[in-house]
Amino acid sequence: MITRKQPVTMMYSKALIKPDGEVLNYSDTSSGNDVLVFIHGYPFDQSIWKEQVIALSEQARIIAYDVRGYGSSSKGKEKFSIDLFADDLIFLLDSLQVNKVIVCGLSMGGYIALNLVKRYAERVKGLVLYDTQCYADNTIAKAKRYENIALIRNGGKQKYLEDMCKILFSPVTLQQKYEIVKQTLNLMLKADDDVLMRTLEAMAERVESCSILAAIKIPVMILCGEHDMLTPPEKSAFMQQQIQGSVLHIIENSGHLGHLENKDAFNQHLNNFLKSF
Ligand code: MLT
């Protein structure tokens, strides 16, 4: 008898308590042969993937989680770093007894995904690099992060996030899809000041991942919004040239958040990628 997988209609998140008492919050559709893990960008949480969890749950088992300090995951006392974020994800996968995964990382989530490939290559069987880059921050980008840390420390979180929100989206989204902009800003404003500052420092101090790209031998799909101002298409094109056999798709009418701005195109690419396993 063939049993069909039940479609998922919403995200149910659960709390994983770590031995040190810290909480890692995640959602898991629990069935499917291939496991797709979504890693959100800065400063969002796993809820940013809700449309994808619903749309793709018949293709794969989908795990989404809140990066340390975001959503309902606790921040802990350790200094934030991309290594620490990747270690948290491995802890989650070990706890769920999941061995190999396909990872889809958005922007900072892409930094975490590349860190995973660098340090835990045996756990990754497919990679989606979405609106991200392999470079470390240059001197100007680093200085801007520390300027923003100072701004937040001086009570400027709202202004900082409103300004960031203005460059997240494509002109079409800003003009015609105001609901998406409003919901995204509301989500960003939920982030805790201390978490924002610690993450900015972690991103400023991250190391480059470009030097590992040529050694990647798993299937890789690179997605980038045509109007992405934060991680523009040239950065994706560079990664595509470095990773043998990788494919790059440009998402039209999208800025940095194509999975919200042009979700049909984004979901279709992910669907096709999942089918290739
Ligand atoms: C993100 O979307 O995760 C951030 O824009 C990444 C970054 O600031 O480098």
Side-chain angles (χ1 to χ4, degrees), residues 41-42 44 106-108 111 133 145 164 203 206 230 256:
Y42 166 88
F44 311 116
L106 159 63
S107 205
M108 179 184 76
Y111 310 157
Q133 59 180 331
R145 303 260 195 217
M164 181 177 175
M203 291 195 287
R206 77 186 190 281
L230 291 172
H256 195 58

Side-chain angles (χ1 to χ4, degrees), residues 113-130:
L114 285 168
N115 185 292
L116 220 58
V117 170
K118 194 188 297 184
R119 297 172 53 239
Y120 300 98
E122 70 290 354
R123 306 297 293 269
V124 187
K125 71 174 198 176
L127 184 60
V128 182
L129 296 171
Y130 166 38

Side-chain angles (χ1 to χ4, degrees), residues 77-172:
K77 293 188 178 59
E78 283 162 86
K79 186 176 157 65
F80 281 11
S81 67
I82 303 298
D83 278 0
L84 181 69
F85 294 157
D87 291 344
D88 285 340
L89 176 52
I90 290 295
F91 181 84
L92 173 63
L93 297 180
D94 287 346
S95 305
L96 297 175
Q97 298 183 325
V98 170
N99 184 18
K100 277 185 183 278
V101 293
I102 301 162
V103 185
C104 173
L106 159 63
S107 205
M108 179 184 76
Y111 310 157
I112 300 170
L114 285 168
N115 185 292
L116 220 58
V117 170
K118 194 188 297 184
R119 297 172 53 239
Y120 300 98
E122 70 290 354
R123 306 297 293 269
V124 187
K125 71 174 198 176
L127 184 60
V128 182
L129 296 171
Y130 166 38
D131 283 335
T132 191
Q133 59 180 331
C134 60
Y135 306 103
D137 279 4
N138 61 24
T139 318
I140 298 169
K142 222 180 234 202
K144 187 76 196 154
R145 303 260 195 217
Y146 286 101
E147 214 177 272
N148 285 330
I149 290 173
L151 178 63
I152 298 166
R153 184 169 293 121
N154 291 322
K157 172 173 115 172
Q158 174 112 12
K159 178 182 169 6
Y160 159 65
L161 291 177
E162 280 172 2
D163 287 348
M164 181 177 175
C165 202
K166 286 182 199 140
I167 53 166
L168 277 181
F169 298 101
S170 70
V172 174

